[in-house]
Structure formats: C-alpha cells, structure tokens
C-alpha cells in the first residue's frame, strides 16, 4: 500500500507544477517590463535637462590638451569605465582612475592639462571627494555627474550634469539601476556630441578598431582584395568566343573583362551573357569577345572601401565589379568570393 501511495503521488504531482509555472512566468515578464519602463523614463527625462551646462561640459572635453580622466566608485565606477572606453574609441584620449587607488598613490596619473569627470549619484562619495583638493591644486577642470545638484560634488565641480532619477527600478530602492542607466546614457551623449564637434569620421574610427570584423570593414579597400595581374581575367575584343570561354574557365570568376587594342576597358562577358547567347541560338565559332560583351559594366575605384563594393553588388544583384583607375584604365576585378573570404560580408 505504501508503494501504491508513492506511485499515485508521483503521477499526479506534475500537473500542479506545470500549472504553477505560467503565473510565475507572467509575473517575471511584467516585472521585466516595469524595470524597462522605469529606466526608459529615466533616460527620456534627461533630454529636458540638456542645456548650457552640457555644452560647457563638451567644450571642457574638446579643449582638453591632455587626457580625460573618469573616476567613480562602485557601480558608478563601472559606468565610468565604459564611458572612458567610449571616449577613447572615438578619438578622445581617456582612462579610468579608481578613486580609492588614486588617493593611495595613483594620482600621479593626473596632469595639469587633463580634465576629470567625477561620477557619484549621491555627490557625497568620500573616495571621489578626496580627489577634489588635489585636482583643484593642479587646476584640473572637473565635470561632475551626480543625482544631487546640491551635493558637495556638484558645488565643487566646474560644470555639473544632472543625472538624477525619480526612482530606481530596484523595488527596494537600493540597487543602482535607473540611476546607472541614466549616467551611462549621459556619458554616451557627451561622447557623441564630442565626436561630432571634432569632425570625427569613419576613417578616424577605423584607426582605433583595426582588429576583428569591424576593423576589416572600415579599413580594407577594394585594391586590397581585387584580382589583378595574372589573376585578372582579360581578353581582347577580337578573340573568338571559344577563347573567351577558356579565359573565363581558367580564372574561375564567372566572367572576364574585355579590352580594346589600347588596353582600355571595352566591356565584360559573364556567364549570364553566354547563357543568353546560347538561348538565342548563337554560334560561338562566329562571334568575338566584343560581340558577346556587355558594354556598360558596373565599376568601382580601387580606393573605395570594400564595404562600398558590397553595397553596389547588393544593389545591382551582381557578384563582381570591374575596378577602374582613371577613365577606362583597367586595374582589376573584385568578386563577392573575395569579400566573403576576408569577412567583409
């Protein structure tokens, strides 16, 4: 009987467990939405506070002749590290200084031409405040980011940015959530406004991101990937259709360029051109490459970014572009396979 009771309990227990999961999932989703709504509202409310103080902060950073140093304790410090990384990646030399380590020997990292961004939600973080007498003696401008505009940090900053929030997303009101999101967003706003003020371009951005896919997309140019020299499919406009097919087969790009007697581009012959010629009942023994060629192929310059080549191929639904250097001067061919191989696509 005992064994029977055990089996009965096991058979019936999954039903209430499955039934109980749905309300728990719904509650989690609702809680997640509540958090995102609070944090989205916190960021939205920052926009109304952007005024001359924000412009002054950007000017301090723009005119900085040294480095922008960001400091903050705890969660504010983690946000500060991200802000420092964003500034550095967009052309502003910057680094993060841990305030506790700063007052225990690392203040030597600061120099007179630097600017300090000090982050403290309360504006009363002792480790951050202990930095202020030193930076004042060094005549280092301070941009404060705080949620308390009447705080010690706000009063001792050259310009203060208000990152206060109405409430934290944490139901206990203890864990920094909405406040850190607001501070991070303000840091991004500073970095992007500064980027625009510097006239920072895509090529400049690429210099700071040479590794990985991003670097390849921003740095690699068409001339770096194009087929040229002996690897370039090329025939005279007077060669036979059969010889044209042989050149296309040997170079394995599904096309060949066609040039005139002066070596200038005459056109291209593609697999599609051959198929259309066959469908029309054509005789390869009676045509030349010039007869088969498409006279207005899509072209690109060798110094264009490889990503531009990708965009053109996608726009015109083609797999190869003729690379011209000057009017009709054939430099090479760039193929979709080359772009795929090097991680541009």
């Amino acid at each position: 009987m005992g064994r029977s009771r055990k089996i009965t309990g096991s058979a019936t227990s999954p039903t209430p467990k499955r039934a109980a999961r749905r309300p728990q999932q719904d509650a989690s989703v609702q809680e997640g939405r509540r958090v995102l709504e609070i944090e989205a509202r916190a960021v939205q409310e920052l926009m109304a506070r952007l005024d001359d103080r924000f412009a002054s902060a950007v000017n301090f950073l723009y005119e900085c002749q040294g480095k922008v140093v960001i400091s903050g304790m705890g969660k504010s410090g983690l946000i500060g590290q991200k802000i420092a990384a964003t500034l550095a990646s967009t052309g502003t030399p910057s680094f993060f200084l841990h305030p506790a380590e700063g007052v225990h020997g690392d203040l030597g990292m600061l120099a007179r031409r630097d600017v300090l961004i000090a982050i403290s939600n309360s504006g009363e973080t002792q480790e951050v405040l202990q930095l202020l007498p030193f930076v004042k003696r060094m005549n280092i401008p301070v941009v404060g980011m705080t949620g308390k505009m009447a705080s010690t940090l706000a009063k001792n900053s050259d310009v203060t940015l208000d990152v206060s929030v109405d409430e934290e997303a944490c139901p206990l009101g203890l864990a920094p959530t909405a406040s850190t999101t607001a501070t991070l967003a303000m840091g991004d706003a500073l970095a992007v406004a500064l980027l625009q003020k510097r006239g920072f371009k895509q090529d400049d951005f690429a210099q700071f991101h040479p590794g990985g896919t991003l670097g390849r997309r921003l740095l690699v140019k068409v001339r770096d990937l194009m087929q040229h020299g002996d690897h370039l499919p090329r025939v005279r406009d007077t060669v036979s259709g059969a010889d044209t097919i042989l050149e296309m087969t040997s170079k394995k790009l599904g096309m060949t360029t066609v040039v005139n007697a002066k070596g200038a581009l005459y056109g291209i012959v593609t697999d599609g051109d051959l198929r259309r010629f066959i469908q029309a009942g054509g005789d390869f023994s009676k045509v030349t490459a010039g007869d088969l060629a498409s006279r207005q192929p899509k072209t690109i310059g060798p110094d264009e970014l490889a990503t531009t080549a990708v965009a053109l191929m996608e726009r015109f639904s083609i797999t190869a572009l003729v690379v011209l250097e000057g009017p009709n001067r054939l430099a090479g061919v760039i193929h979709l396979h080359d772009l795929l191989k090097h991680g541009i696509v």
Side-chain angles (χ1 to χ4, degrees):
M1 292 177 64
R3 187 174 298 173
S4 176
R5 283 196 300 270
K6 185 175 182 180
I7 293 172
T8 302
S10 176
T12 57
S13 60
T15 302
K17 286 183 179 179
R18 283 197 297 268
R21 284 178 188 157
R22 192 55 179 269
Q24 290 175 357
Q25 290 174 346
D26 291 344
S28 296
V29 170
Q30 291 301 319
E31 182 65 9
R33 289 174 177 166
R34 184 191 67 82
V35 170
L36 293 177
E37 286 173 359
I38 291 173
E39 299 204 359
R41 188 163 58 248
V43 173
Q44 187 78 17
E45 290 172 352
L46 289 179
M47 290 191 293
R49 301 182 208 148
L50 293 190
D51 52 21
D52 291 342
R53 291 174 298 182
F54 181 82
S56 296
V58 173
N59 283 332
F60 272 122
L61 304 182
Y62 179 74
E63 294 171 1
C64 176
Q65 296 180 343
K67 290 182 171 59
V68 175
V69 183
I70 297 90
S71 191
M73 197 71 185
K75 304 299 186 296
S76 293
L78 295 173
I79 297 300
Q81 291 179 51
K82 193 276 178 184
I83 295 173
T86 300
L87 288 170
S89 71
T90 52
T92 299
S94 60
F95 65 89
F96 176 78
L97 172 65
H98 194 289
E101 294 176 355
V103 296
H104 286 281
D106 283 357
L107 285 177
M109 295 180 178
L110 288 165
R112 291 187 181 276
R113 297 189 299 175
D114 294 340
V115 172
L116 175 67
I117 297 179
I119 305 173
S120 170
N121 186 48
S122 68
E124 303 295 343
T125 305
Q126 288 303 307
E127 292 86 350
V128 174
L129 297 182
Q130 287 174 355
L131 299 175
L132 299 182
F134 174 81
V135 299
K136 291 297 183 182
R137 288 196 300 270
M138 295 283 288
N139 199 31
I140 294 173
V142 177
V143 175
M145 295 177 67
T146 181
K148 306 293 182 183
M149 295 300 285
S151 64
T152 303
L153 175 60
K155 293 176 181 178
N156 287 275
S157 297
D158 294 275
V159 61
T160 305
L161 300 178
D162 183 358
V163 291
S164 61
V165 298
D166 291 336
E167 61 177 323
E168 296 286 7
C170 169
L172 302 176
L174 299 175
T177 45
S179 59
T180 49
T181 299
T183 304
L184 179 62
M186 184 66 79
D188 286 341
L190 283 173
V192 174
L194 185 59
L195 177 153
Q196 293 285 355
K197 192 175 181 70
R198 291 190 189 285
F200 199 73
K201 303 298 183 185
Q202 187 181 59
D203 288 346
D204 300 316
F205 191 78
Q207 299 303 317
F208 297 103
H209 300 77
T213 301
L214 180 60
R216 287 193 295 273
R217 288 179 176 175
L218 294 177
L219 288 173
V220 176
K221 296 186 177 181
V222 168
R223 70 166 66 251
D224 299 322
L225 302 181
M226 69 182 186
Q227 301 290 339
H228 59 94
D230 293 339
H231 299 286
L232 172 64
R234 174 170 42 194
V235 296
R236 274 289 311 277
D237 57 329
T238 55
V239 306
S240 68
D243 287 338
T244 302
I245 295 174
L246 288 174
E247 178 70 0
M248 293 171 63
T249 302
S250 65
K251 299 300 172 62
K252 301 178 181 180
L253 293 184
M255 56 82 66
T256 184
T257 59
V258 181
V259 297
N260 60 22
K262 296 181 179 180
L265 180 68
Y266 181 90
I268 65 170
V269 179
T270 68
D271 287 339
D273 293 321
L274 298 182
R275 286 193 297 271
R276 285 186 287 273
F277 183 75
I278 293 171
Q279 289 173 347
D283 185 350
F284 283 109
S285 66
K286 297 180 180 180
V287 295
T288 64
D291 298 327
L292 294 168
S294 299
R295 297 298 305 275
Q296 294 182 325
K298 304 303 179 186
T299 64
I300 193 171
D303 292 319
E304 295 284 348
L305 288 174
T307 50
T308 303
V310 174
L312 285 171
M313 291 181 189
E314 290 179 342
R315 178 181 175 187
F316 296 106
S317 299
I318 56 179
T319 59
L321 292 168
V322 178
V323 183
L324 293 182
E325 196 163 24
N328 285 340
R329 182 184 171 191
L330 182 61
V333 168
I334 185 165
H335 195 276
L336 180 61
H337 291 165
D338 302 317
L339 298 164
L340 287 167
K341 180 180 177 181
H342 291 85
I344 306 301
V345 179

